Amino acid sequence: LKSVLQPSYSDTSAAMASRRSVFAFLLCFLQLYDALDNGLARTPPMGWMTWERYTCSTNCSGPGGCISEELIKEMADLLAIDGWKEAGYAQVSIDDCWAMRDRDEEGRQVPDPHRFPSGMAALGKYIHDRGLSFGTYSDIGSKTCAGFVGLKDHFDTDAETFASWGVDYIKVDGCYEALPDMARHYPAFGAALNKTGRPIVYSCSWPAYMPHHCEGEDGCMSTLVEHCNLWRNFEDVSDSWDSVSGIIDFWNRRNVSDEIVASAGPGHWNDPDMLMIGNFGLSETQEQSQFAIYAILAAPLFMSNDLRSMPATSRDILLNREIIAVNQDVLGKQGYCSHGCDSELRIWVRELQGGDAAVVLQNSGSFGDGADITVTVSSLPWFPQGGHFTARDLYSHTDLGQFPGSLTLYVHESSVKMLRLTPLPALTAVVV
């Protein structure tokens, strides 16, 4: 390398230019190696995660289950045989509380031997044998948020350990780490993952700890896009409409040029946290609201529930293939709130591959019966203005017809209507 980069004084200008080109290529290669650039998560990840439903339960004698090999195997089996994998939910993720609080004598992280007696490599194989991906969790600091061992000072060792277990996805939290160090340590661990040679989706919780969520003066959004496949921006979700609606309010962004909206795309996604559908705190219409708006936001779809005892209505929401198709749209553009964003009656829109639009009409109110909400082509800047469109209701799976530039629907309190609109060529549009 040294002989390539150091020309002699007798080199011609053409040779100098050639060697500068070689230098530029090598520099670019080295930069790409240091960056994550792993080609993964081209659409938002989907799967099941332990945290919200099972938190840090380590008491395996209780009625609700615990963070254990047994629980993970049960959920993997259900994902594989009960229609979830075919719909796209193809990952099982263990969040916090799987590890011991100290490393072994070789300095490696190890799972709790009582709750994971077969070890993580065997568990990873069990998951892979069912055609699923294996996700896990750690922390960029010295300890996880629950006090188990973290990654600090062991990036290469831990990355190699996770790769040897067959890990396909890792969420890295930010507890017990100084904020100024995150800008160095999150990219450094991404580089350590890259060096293993195993493709591992990298989820960073860095912006959730920053004062402005990596926006504005935090100045870390571009670094996230370069080094992480997805990232948690805001507070943890819990099983209540207050929590879910508060997170939705955080994502109430007004256009595609918003810094956070613009940061999302194939390989790098904003993560508003887990789906609460199938638990106890949301009504059916609130579950529909979370699922619809997460599809507009191009959000990762991670359930955190008990697949063994889910209400049929919740299952139907989560397995709605038309809404999943919106979430997984390959154009990869995150949607935003286009009208009524400071009111209870909101219109959320997302541009889809081929020029269609996904639209959510949201009534976020909690008093009374409902109200009319009107979507027009002015809410859809990529549509021909003044043109016609067809509309399909994605929850009722019904074609609503053709409309001359606007559509009004009645939406109940704390509810949504989710639509797919297709613009019509001028010659085929007929007023009805």
Side-chain angles (χ1 to χ4, degrees):
L1 183 63
K2 183 177 180 181
S3 64
V4 172
L5 300 182
Q6 290 186 338
S8 70
Y9 289 108
S10 62
D11 282 341
T12 64
S13 59
M16 289 284 288
S18 175
R19 290 180 182 185
R20 281 195 296 269
S21 297
V22 172
F23 174 78
F25 170 80
L26 289 170
L27 181 61
C28 179
F29 176 83
L30 292 171
Q31 287 173 336
L32 286 173
Y33 188 79
D34 285 339
L36 187 63
D37 193 35
N38 57 14
L40 302 176
R42 306 306 294 174
T43 58
M46 297 175 60
W48 181 91
M49 185 175 287
T50 58
W51 180 253
E52 201 289 330
R53 180 62 178 258
Y54 296 96
T55 62
C56 193
S57 176
T58 57
N59 177 11
C60 296
S61 62
C66 66
I67 307 303
S68 65
E69 176 181 305
E70 180 182 0
L71 174 69
I72 300 308
K73 287 181 174 180
E74 283 190 81
M75 296 304 163
D77 288 342
L78 288 169
L79 286 178
I81 67 174
D82 208 17
W84 299 103
K85 181 176 70 172
E86 289 76 13
Y89 299 96
Q91 180 174 305
V92 184
S93 284
I94 311 168
D95 208 273
D96 204 348
C97 308
W98 59 264
M100 297 295 285
R101 295 188 183 273
D102 296 300
R103 295 175 178 272
D104 67 11
E105 62 277 6
E106 296 178 350
R108 296 186 179 276
Q109 293 199 39
V110 290
D112 184 289
H114 301 291
R115 292 182 286 116
F116 295 90
S118 301
M120 286 302 194
L123 182 57
K125 183 178 185 304
Y126 187 94
I127 292 168
H128 291 152
D129 285 348
R130 281 143 187 79
L132 304 169
S133 297
F134 175 25
T136 192
Y137 166 100
S138 195
D139 193 286
I140 204 70
S142 58
K143 294 188 285 188
T144 70
C145 296
F148 295 85
V149 67
L151 298 168
K152 192 168 186 177
D153 299 326
H154 294 83
F155 288 175
D156 288 338
T157 299
D158 288 346
E160 291 166 2
T161 299
F162 296 137
S164 74
W165 292 345
V167 167
D168 304 296
Y169 172 105
I170 185 164
K171 171 186 168 184
V172 177
D173 221 327
C175 291
Y176 299 100
E177 177 67 304
L179 293 185
D181 292 337
M182 291 186 178
R184 292 183 296 108
H185 289 168
Y186 272 104
F189 185 64
L193 292 174
N194 244 19
K195 285 192 292 185
T196 69
R198 180 173 181 81
I200 300 176
V201 176
Y202 185 27
S203 172
C204 307
S205 293
W206 177 11
Y209 291 86
M210 298 299 290
H212 306 287
H213 316 287
C214 273
E215 296 180 85
E217 63 190 66
D218 284 350
C220 47
M221 191 60 65
S222 62
T223 307
L224 278 173
V225 172
E226 183 180 2
H227 293 283
C228 304
N229 293 120
L230 61 155
W231 47 84
R232 284 284 314 286
N233 305 71
F234 194 53
E235 62 190 31
D236 287 358
V237 71
S238 61
D239 188 19
S240 74
W241 182 240
D242 282 347
S243 172
V244 172
S245 61
I247 290 170
I248 290 172
D249 287 345
F250 173 81
W251 290 104
N252 185 353
R253 307 305 173 111
R254 312 304 169 89
N255 53 65
V256 292
S257 61
D258 178 273
E259 186 177 7
I260 284 189
V261 173
S263 70
H268 43 91
W269 308 101
N270 293 298
D271 182 1
D273 211 4
M274 294 160 281
L275 295 166
M276 294 296 95
I277 300 162
N279 289 316
F280 312 105
L282 306 187
S283 69
E284 180 181 354
T285 62
Q286 289 165 350
E287 289 186 342
Q288 289 178 334
S289 298
Q290 187 187 25
F291 200 59
I293 292 172
Y294 272 38
I296 290 287
L297 296 177
L301 299 180
F302 284 115
M303 304 179 286
S304 188
N305 50 28
D306 189 341
L307 298 176
R308 300 164 297 191
S309 58
M310 182 184 301
T313 53
S314 300
R315 177 184 168 86
D316 288 345
I317 293 167
L318 289 164
L319 290 176
N320 186 315
R321 296 294 187 96
E322 294 191 78
I323 296 178
I324 291 171
V326 169
N327 176 265
Q328 297 288 295
D329 183 76
V330 296
L331 186 61
K333 284 192 173 183
Q334 180 173 321
Y336 56 92
C337 180
S338 68
H339 284 80
C341 307
D342 294 321
S343 73
E344 293 180 345
L345 307 180
R346 301 170 179 168
I347 300 173
W348 300 78
V349 302
R350 179 181 174 187
E351 183 179 357
L352 303 177
Q353 178 81 358
D356 280 9
V359 175
V360 170
L361 309 179
Q362 182 195 14
N363 186 338
S364 64
S366 58
F367 184 78
D369 185 78
D372 285 335
I373 303 178
T374 300
V375 59
T376 69
V377 291
S378 64
S379 300
L380 310 168
W382 64 95
F383 267 36
Q385 296 305 294
H388 293 57
F389 57 80
T390 61
R392 180 170 175 82
D393 187 318
L394 301 189
Y395 273 121
S396 69
H397 305 292
T398 303
D399 291 323
L400 302 182
Q402 183 184 131
F403 300 89
S406 68
L407 170 61
T408 300
L409 293 174
Y410 189 81
V411 184
H412 291 290
E413 301 288 328
S414 199
S415 300
V416 294
K417 295 285 187 180
M418 187 165 190
L419 310 170
R420 187 173 186 128
L421 307 185
T422 300
L424 291 173
L427 292 178
T428 62
V430 178
V431 177
V432 294

